[in-house]
Amino acid sequence: MENAVNLIILNDEGKILLIKRSSAELIEPDAWSIPGGRVEENENYETALSREIEEELGVAIADFAYFKSYFVNSPRAVRVVYFYGTIASNNIILNHESSSFFWFDTTEISDLHLAFNQKQVLVDFLEFKKTEKNIKQ
């Protein structure tokens, strides 16, 4: 089974950064996606996450925390570990895997075509954040 990592990136306004997959991608072309990618051999999740965000967005991660793991079959079995956090800079430089990026308000997520099972991931995450906020009050 392969492993992948993704970072749900939030800004100060509570918006979520998504990237649009390139039309040249073989799987889920032109779909919006949470940034991340494959964990390489002998690499831990945290190192893979930092590397993937640097490669895809050209920025460093400021802080992050574990959210949840999912298992998907698309087209092979993959364990995807999701984290959430912030990036150190908004000077995003996309690589060839993506065609654009946008900071979406959480109310806009349901109308998007998201790759893989990521719409459900974001629904779960928003519910988690709502619960987390209620606990802190």
Side-chain angles (χ1 to χ4, degrees):
M1 177 181 307
E2 290 185 27
N3 292 300
V5 290
N6 290 75
L7 182 65
I8 300 167
I9 301 171
L10 304 163
N11 68 11
D12 293 340
E13 299 169 7
K15 292 185 177 184
I16 296 174
L17 178 71
L18 297 175
I19 55 176
K20 190 165 193 177
R21 294 170 61 86
S22 166
S23 58
E25 289 293 307
L26 297 176
I27 301 170
E28 299 277 5
D30 296 317
W32 289 100
S33 182
I34 300 166
R38 249 185 226 108
V39 177
E40 294 178 358
E41 192 173 333
N42 299 318
E43 190 175 44
N44 66 37
Y45 293 135
E46 293 80 6
T47 302
L49 187 66
S50 292
R51 178 185 50 74
E52 283 290 341
I53 298 306
E54 284 275 350
E55 287 176 4
E56 290 192 0
L57 304 177
V59 296
I61 298 171
D63 60 27
F64 68 96
Y66 172 77
F67 167 53
K68 192 173 182 178
S69 296
Y70 293 81
F71 294 88
V72 294
N73 289 307
S74 181
R76 57 198 168 279
V78 180
R79 175 192 300 120
V80 185
V81 181
Y82 284 89
F83 296 87
Y84 65 100
T86 60
I87 50 178
S89 167
N90 285 328
N91 295 327
I92 295 169
I93 301 170
L94 298 174
N95 70 7
H96 67 280
E97 297 173 358
S98 304
S99 59
S100 62
F101 69 92
F102 191 79
W103 291 96
F104 286 96
D105 187 88
T106 57
T107 60
E108 299 172 295
I109 302 294
S110 62
D111 296 331
L112 298 174
H113 171 72
L114 282 152
F116 313 110
N117 68 331
Q118 291 184 348
K119 188 172 283 194
Q120 185 60 52
V121 171
L122 289 176
V123 166
D124 294 349
F125 177 73
L126 295 174
E127 186 61 34
F128 163 75
K129 291 301 284 178
K130 191 185 317 176
T131 303
E132 182 184 57
K133 190 181 289 185
N134 290 338
I135 290 171
K136 288 181 179 179
Q137 292 178 347

